Amino acid sequence: DAGVIQSPRHEVTEMGQEVTLRCKPISGHDYLFWYRQTMMRGLELLIYFNNNVPIDDSGMPEDRFSAKMPNASFSTLKIQPSEPRDSAVYFCASSLGRFLQFFGPGTRLTVL
Amino acid sequence: QQQVKQSPQSLIVQKGGISIINCAYENTAFDYFPWYQQFPGKGPALLIAIRPDVSEKKEGRFTISFNKSAKQFSLHIMDSQPGDSATYFCAASRGSNYQLIWGAGTKLIIKP
């Protein structure tokens, strides 16, 4: 089993550029979560989907952030325009039902 | 009400010692309490979890102790090993709400 796959693993971009992070959840999982992790704020839930439908996006920090899940095997998190304060590690996680969230390896985003 | 307070922020334990990390919560509706382990450069991974109908759960060297009346739960790592050095997160969730409420994390260092 491949686990949750995220790409890219590292992204360095300049302020104002659009950034797209990608996630492939574990096959058969019906929930997908996007998290952001920073030293200052710890682990924050940004948004989660159930059966491809966004359920709670109250953690999305600003309108600059958007997430989509066009099908059960793919999701994107987009930041447009990016700002230096968006620099963080972004994790995607998936689960089957409520109790066990499997995390991907994360995307380390640096916005200069 | 929604917070999970985790302590200590960091912990140094000698090899072979017992590592103890504590978490406290306010929302009595929480009914699922997992602990996640995160190594540098990796996503968090589920270590062990407990429901409030039991006071203790043990898996190998890892034990969760749960005190429902005090609204506290703790992770004990017996015979701590250098390979246990990681950041540990407690979390909680309730009912049909799939959002995990995360503690701030504890960076554990086991000295050889």
Side-chain angles (χ1 to χ4, degrees), chain A:
Chain A
D1 227 350
V4 176
I5 299 172
Q6 290 187 246
S7 64
R9 292 295 311 278
H10 302 273
E11 176 82 27
V12 181
T13 191
E14 293 190 345
M15 183 173 65
Q17 296 298 305
E18 177 179 294
V19 174
T20 301
L21 311 181
R22 296 172 176 79
C23 174
K24 177 178 169 56
I26 293 173
S27 177
H29 282 190
D30 56 352
Y31 283 81
L32 184 138
F33 306 81
W34 281 102
Y35 288 91
R36 177 171 69 175
Q37 186 175 39
T38 61
M39 288 294 293
M40 290 298 294
R41 301 176 67 88
L43 200 57
E44 304 173 274
L45 176 67
L46 300 177
I47 185 172
Y48 75 92
F49 296 82
N50 175 221
N51 292 323
N52 314 337
V53 176
I55 301 300
D56 185 349
D57 66 353
S58 58
M60 296 285 263
E62 299 171 33
D63 291 344
R64 298 183 296 106
F65 286 70
S66 62
K68 293 182 180 179
M69 191 166 185
N71 57 61
S73 59
F74 184 66
S75 177
T76 59
L77 178 68
K78 188 174 291 187
I79 308 172
Q80 166 63 20
S82 58
E83 296 183 3
R85 60 193 167 122
D86 302 329
S87 297
V89 180
Y90 291 81
F91 289 104
C92 175
S94 70
S95 69
L96 177 62
R98 174 186 171 201
F99 293 112
L100 183 56
Q101 291 185 22
F102 290 87
F103 281 73
T107 295
R108 182 173 294 276
L109 173 65
T110 303
V111 183
L112 303 174

Side-chain angles (χ1 to χ4, degrees), chain B residues 1-2 7-8 19 27-28 31 43 56 80 89 92 105 107:
Chain B
Q1 271 275 334
Q2 282 290 87
S7 62
S19 304
N27 190 341
T28 55
D31 64 353
E56 185 175 280
S80 299
F89 293 92
K107 185 172 183 179

